[in-house]
Amino acid sequence: MAVLQKSAPEHFASDNSVLLLCGLRDGVLLTFDLKTTDEISLNLRDSAKLGETVVTVTIDSQETNRCMVTCEKEICYYEFQSNQYIEIIMRRIYLTDKNDASLHGITVDALSRIQLQPHVVIAGYSNSILCVSRNELIIAELDKMPRTIPRHISINGTPRRIIFSPRLRLLVVATAQHEREHSFINGKPHYKLTTRASLALIDPDKEYLAPYIDRFEPYELTNSSGKAGLGHAGETIFALTEWDYYTGGKRFSFLLIGTGEIKPQNTTPCNRVIFYQTKREPEGGITLSQRYVLNFANPVCSIAVYNPSTLLFGHGDYLSIRQMNFDTKKFEIIDEYKLQSNVLHISVKNRKIYCSTKNNSLNSYKFENGRLTSYFGDEIDRHSLHHLALPGSNIALLADTDCTLVGLWQPNSPRNESSTTTVFQAELESSITRLRSASVMPTWRSRNPLSQAACSGGPMIIGSSIDGSFYGITLLPESTWRLLKFISNLAVRSRRICPIGTIGNPRLHIEPLIKPKTLMHVNGDILRCVLHLGPEWLEQLLMEDPDPAMSDFLNAEMRFIRFREIVRELFGQEIVGNEVPLAFAFLESLLQPIF
């Protein structure tokens, strides 16, 4: 249990507001508001599930408004701020070694901040914590700013595809293993590099490779060459997904692997889909049993589940739909549709089929009366890489090779022109290769009222780019977008943000515009720079006289009046005092780390 004060002890009598944190034995952290005005009152503020064992709360020896919370491998930093709009900030502490990224998570039994005395000078320990972990004593330095902690797990091969299996509770990684074969041709040594596909199962909690048994128990082997399993020369995994089939009151779980050969090395190319039935044994072991093999004319680059008994396959420039008949134990081909370019990714939403193609952007199809028919297509041909059809919306995100991310809107029913409309476009530093809709923020952070208001326009989207970086993407309501874009347009004109000049066209007004579509993009990195400079700098920037060489308001007073209007439109309430602290707190809430 710990008591956090909003203000310093000498001001406690005038503030009369404290926060009470209680850690329970079942892994729950309770937060109470404690008021001591006329009478003492205790009100439950929040409840967060951190684990399954005892939650320990330790007060910070240096700050009365901070404490550290531990539960199993979870270490959290809890801060009670004096700001009236964001009062609680909770950040996760992850113990790692900068020189060893493969270091596993450490279970902390006890910890405390190192409190240096004025007469003791020890370099490097001013912002450190002392931890007890089993029979080890650890001194760790806290980073000043939150950041992503990389983890490193060695596997035998180069990762090609990765998914998380809820049933196995494991990460399934498709790898490419490279072998160097040595032979002699006409008496001269000859070397040949061969690629073979394989699988790796990783426990994400314990961070180690989970062993599994690979069995060959086919219901039906349709591969005419008689090849079974993975590991053939030149074969590469392009698609990886899970499929659950229910029949006779039983559940059959399959891992589907789509393969192909970039440069065919065999008489019969290995363009196929392998069905592995997955099972977690009672003693904890994993069994993969090969049940089916389907051959295709081209490499299988994407697999999607249309309904519990029907699957979609993208091979070459064909979209194929097949249905499982468990009576005959065969897959029946229902229909195939030839596209203008190769299929890269398939997804299904509300019985609509979305296909990202190599040269013809994003297209959607319908399956009716046993036939695949075209439904909508992009009005612009793009070299697409991946797409994401947003749930609860008619908008689909499309990433292409030109380092852009576009939002395509599709009406509920076809119009005369069967094309989608580009509603926004973002220009990025690198091309996004994968898009996922996910909730990766800790539960205590997502409960923040300002975070909920900021993200009410859509879910959090994670994009992984071709250079290994991650993008956090959020679709914003108009009022939220207008405030962020106003601050961004103003900030890029400052030498503190852009030392060598402004970003974009100085003739563009600070007032947010929706045309061209690239102006709909709000650069979060610019807003992060604003956070580092503080609310006082933002207020000073708003009150600076306009530069005559740039398009702006007539004077600083008119600019600040417009800023106040935008803030009031967002929060829809009468704001007492200065709007800048509220807007700055809103930025802090929205730009929290996604991991």
Side-chain angles (χ1 to χ4, degrees):
M1 180 181 297
V3 177
L4 303 185
Q5 299 175 199
K6 262 188 177 181
S7 53
E10 57 268 25
H11 301 300
F12 176 66
S14 61
D15 191 35
N16 293 332
S17 178
V18 298
L19 196 70
L20 180 66
L21 280 76
C22 300
L24 306 184
R25 291 187 295 176
D26 59 352
V28 175
L29 177 68
L30 299 180
T31 308
F32 296 91
D33 279 320
L34 181 60
K35 303 291 185 180
T36 59
T37 51
D38 297 333
E39 58 182 15
I40 297 178
S41 63
L42 188 65
N43 299 316
L44 179 63
R45 181 191 186 100
D46 197 8
S47 173
K49 182 73 172 178
L50 303 182
E52 301 297 334
T53 58
V54 178
V55 176
T56 303
V57 183
T58 305
I59 196 72
D60 194 318
S61 58
Q62 298 183 12
E63 301 289 343
T64 59
N65 67 327
R66 299 175 183 176
C67 70
M68 285 173 285
V69 179
T70 60
C71 180
E72 300 171 4
K73 294 182 180 180
E74 293 287 342
I75 310 176
C76 302
Y77 194 72
Y78 216 107
E79 182 176 355
F80 192 21
Q81 291 192 344
S82 59
N83 188 288
Q84 59 177 322
Y85 299 104
I86 300 181
E87 295 182 339
I88 301 174
I89 289 182
M90 197 169 190
R91 297 188 177 97
R92 183 184 179 188
I93 299 175
Y94 198 94
L95 294 180
T96 186
D97 189 344
K98 295 180 180 180
N99 300 319
D100 183 12
S102 62
L103 181 67
H104 290 190
I106 300 173
T107 300
V108 175
D109 301 313
L111 81 165
S112 176
R113 280 287 293 269
I114 295 179
Q115 186 174 7
L116 299 180
Q117 301 298 326
H119 60 278
V120 178
V121 179
I122 305 178
Y125 290 91
S126 59
N127 193 35
S128 301
I129 58 175
L130 182 66
C131 306
V132 177
S133 177
R134 301 297 184 262
N135 59 345
E136 293 182 328
L137 194 64
I138 301 172
I139 297 178
E141 182 183 1
L142 292 176
D143 287 337
K144 294 181 180 179
M145 295 297 296
R147 63 184 180 91
T148 302
I149 303 298
R151 311 302 300 144
H152 177 78
I153 303 175
S154 298
I155 59 176
N156 186 18
T158 302
R160 294 279 304 178
R161 295 290 185 270
I162 181 170
I163 63 172
F164 177 73
S165 171
R167 180 172 176 81
L168 299 178
R169 302 188 299 278
L170 297 172
L171 292 172
V172 182
V173 184
T175 65
Q177 300 178 354
H178 304 287
E179 300 176 356
R180 188 180 183 185
E181 298 180 355
H182 177 232
S183 62
F184 287 89
I185 300 178
N186 298 327
K188 297 182 179 181
H190 179 74
Y191 297 95
K192 180 181 178 182
L193 186 63
T194 303
T195 301
R196 301 181 187 274
S198 181
L199 289 177
L201 304 182
I202 299 176
D203 189 318
D205 296 325
K206 300 180 181 179
E207 300 179 3
Y208 74 97
L209 291 175
Y212 63 91
I213 300 174
D214 189 347
R215 295 177 179 173
F216 176 57
E217 299 177 353
Y219 291 143
E220 172 198 19
L221 187 61
T222 59
N223 192 322
S224 59
S225 65
K227 296 179 179 178
L230 297 169
H232 303 294
E235 189 176 26
T236 303
I237 296 177
F238 295 104
L240 192 64
T241 190
E242 281 194 312
W243 174 49
D244 289 339
Y245 185 83
Y246 297 87
T247 181
K250 296 182 179 180
R251 173 185 176 181
F252 298 87
S253 297
F254 292 94
L255 179 66
L256 279 58
I257 304 173
T259 71
E261 291 185 75
I262 301 176
K263 295 180 179 180
Q265 303 179 15
N266 302 285
T267 306
T268 303
C270 290
N271 303 319
R272 53 189 182 152
V273 174
I274 304 174
F275 290 70
Y276 278 102
Q277 186 174 350
T278 60
K279 183 180 180 181
R280 179 178 281 273
E281 303 295 342
E283 61 275 9
I286 306 298
T287 301
L288 303 182
S289 303
Q290 182 184 328
R291 299 299 193 182
Y292 302 93
V293 177
L294 300 181
N295 283 325
F296 291 87
N298 307 290
V300 181
C301 292
S302 185
I303 306 171
V305 179
Y306 182 74
N307 61 39
S309 62
T310 307
L311 300 174
L312 294 162
F313 304 94
H315 61 101
D317 55 356
Y318 283 91
L319 175 62
S320 176
I321 184 167
R322 303 193 181 192
Q323 190 172 37
M324 178 65 180
N325 188 333
F326 252 83
D327 294 332
T328 61
K329 295 192 169 105
K330 292 183 178 180
F331 275 93
E332 301 173 352
I333 301 177
I334 302 177
D335 193 21
E336 283 198 338
Y337 190 95
K338 182 175 175 58
L339 284 70
Q340 295 181 355
S341 60
N342 289 355
V343 180
L344 300 180
H345 178 59
I346 305 172
S347 67
V348 179
K349 190 189 77 169
N350 298 333
R351 305 189 69 83
K352 295 177 185 176
I353 303 168
Y354 295 83
C355 293
S356 297
T357 60
K358 184 178 181 180
N359 300 320
N360 299 101
S361 191
L362 178 67
N363 300 281
S364 62
Y365 302 88
K366 271 192 172 184
F367 179 63
E368 295 178 331
N369 302 321
R371 303 289 296 177
L372 286 168
T373 57
S374 179
Y375 189 59
F376 274 102
D378 191 357
E379 57 188 358
I380 301 175
D381 284 338
R382 312 176 200 267
H383 302 287
S384 60
L385 290 173
H386 204 259
H387 74 265
L388 176 64
L390 300 181
S393 171
N394 287 351
I395 295 178
L397 297 181
L398 178 70
D400 60 24
T401 58
D402 295 326
C403 301
T404 60
L405 180 69
V406 297
L408 302 175
W409 176 75
Q410 175 180 293
N412 292 322
S413 58
R415 301 173 295 179
N416 292 333
E417 64 277 6
S418 297
S419 61
T420 57
T421 302
T422 302
V423 291
F424 58 83
Q425 179 174 330
E427 296 179 350
L428 309 176
E429 296 182 0
S430 58
S431 295
I432 291 179
T433 56
R434 287 292 181 272
L435 290 164
R436 292 288 185 270
S437 177
S439 177
V440 294
M441 285 189 179
T443 54
W444 53 81
R445 184 184 298 162
S446 61
R447 286 189 181 128
N448 190 296
L450 288 180
S451 296
Q452 295 175 354
C455 300
S456 61
M460 172 62 74
I461 300 160
I462 309 298
S464 60
S465 69
I466 200 169
D467 64 353
S469 59
F470 285 91
Y471 288 91
I473 305 162
T474 305
L475 297 188
L476 302 171
E478 182 180 355
S479 56
T480 303
W481 167 82
R482 195 170 299 280
L483 173 62
L484 300 185
K485 192 64 177 178
F486 188 94
I487 297 176
S488 176
N489 290 344
L490 182 64
V492 295
R493 300 186 178 191
S494 171
R495 293 294 182 184
R496 298 287 300 275
I497 303 294
C498 307
I500 59 175
T502 59
I503 298 177
N505 188 351
R507 292 178 297 177
L508 291 177
H509 201 276
I510 293 178
E511 182 69 26
L513 303 175
I514 61 174
K515 292 182 180 181
K517 300 301 182 182
T518 53
L519 296 180
M520 300 289 289
H521 174 213
V522 180
N523 192 328
D525 292 332
I526 295 175
L527 297 179
R528 290 289 300 179
C529 295
V530 175
L531 285 183
H532 294 327
L533 294 174
E536 295 80 8
W537 177 86
L538 176 59
E539 185 171 2
Q540 179 183 356
L541 189 64
L542 286 166
M543 298 305 297
E544 285 183 357
D545 292 331
D547 187 344
M550 299 182 181
S551 179
D552 202 341
F553 293 89
L554 293 178
N555 51 58
E557 183 180 359
M558 293 183 63
R559 183 202 295 144
F560 196 81
I561 290 175
R562 179 55 183 152
F563 172 77
R564 295 182 61 187
E565 291 176 352
I566 294 176
V567 174
R568 292 173 185 271
E569 289 174 3
L570 172 59
F571 291 97
Q573 60 183 2
E574 290 297 328
I575 302 172
V576 179
N578 194 350
E579 290 82 358
V580 175
L582 175 58
F584 196 84
F586 186 71
L587 283 182
E588 288 182 322
S589 175
L590 179 60
L591 297 176
Q592 296 180 82
I594 59 177
F595 296 113

